């Protein structure tokens, strides 16, 4: 049987691909972690004879990809958009007086002409 050539891990139940064992010199290479990860096969592989590829499945996949791309674009655009509100509200619940200081400068006006009413 084709499954008999695939060893099973007794502790984790994860099926491993039939790959040659790594040597000690390979285990210290920079890609050894990636190679180790590639050796594990978490999902069962369906044999090609049991799959039926139809055009409707491809259409559903494309429509779903387009919808996901549009949603992603809309969310990113909304995240980076800035909303400017042009309104001011006065808090009428405060019973204190609000101190307001104004510093006005009129460089071309004589002091005798300036007054505050």
């Amino acid at each position: 049987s084709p499954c008999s050539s695939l060893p099973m891990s007794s502790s984790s139940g994860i099926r491993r691909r039939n790959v040659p064992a790594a040597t000690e010199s390979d285990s210290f290479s920079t890609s050894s972690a990636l190679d180790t990860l590639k050796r594990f096969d978490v999902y069962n592989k369906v044999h090609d004879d049991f799959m039926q590829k139809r055009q409707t499945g491809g259409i559903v996949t494309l429509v779903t990809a387009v919808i996901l791309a549009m949603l992603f674009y809309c969310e990113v655009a909304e995240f980076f958009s800035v909303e400017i509100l042009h309104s001011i509200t006065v808090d009428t619940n405060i019973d204190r007086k609000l101190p307001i200081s104004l510093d006005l400068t009129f460089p071309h006006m004589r002091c005798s002409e300036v007054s505050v009413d």
Side-chain angles (χ1 to χ4, degrees):
S1 113
C3 293
S4 63
S5 63
L6 301 173
M8 291 290 287
S9 171
S10 62
S11 62
S12 65
I14 297 177
R15 188 176 68 157
R16 291 188 60 188
R17 293 183 187 164
N18 191 11
V19 293
T23 61
E24 279 190 40
S25 63
D26 292 340
S27 64
F28 293 106
S29 69
T30 58
S31 64
S32 67
L34 183 60
D35 292 337
T36 304
L37 185 62
K38 284 181 182 179
R39 281 188 235 140
F40 288 104
D41 188 10
V42 178
Y43 299 107
N44 291 332
K45 299 297 178 192
V46 178
H47 201 279
D48 288 338
D49 295 338
F50 300 121
M51 291 193 302
Q52 295 178 354
K53 297 178 182 179
R54 295 196 174 128
Q55 187 175 6
T56 55
I59 292 171
V60 168
T61 302
L62 290 177
V63 168
T64 303
V66 168
I67 291 172
L68 285 174
M70 286 176 26
L71 287 173
F72 180 76
Y73 173 76
C74 290
E75 288 296 321
V76 169
E78 180 69 25
F79 179 75
F80 286 114
S81 68
V82 176
E83 183 179 351
I84 299 174
L85 299 175
H86 297 284
S87 65
I88 297 175
T89 57
V90 178
D91 188 7
T92 58
N93 295 331
I94 298 177
D95 293 332
R96 305 183 331 212
K97 289 187 177 182
L98 182 64
I100 298 176
S101 301
L102 298 175
D103 184 14
L104 301 174
T105 303
F106 299 102
H108 300 291
M109 188 175 258
R110 291 180 286 187
C111 290
S112 61
E113 295 175 355
V114 177
S115 67
V116 177
D117 294 328

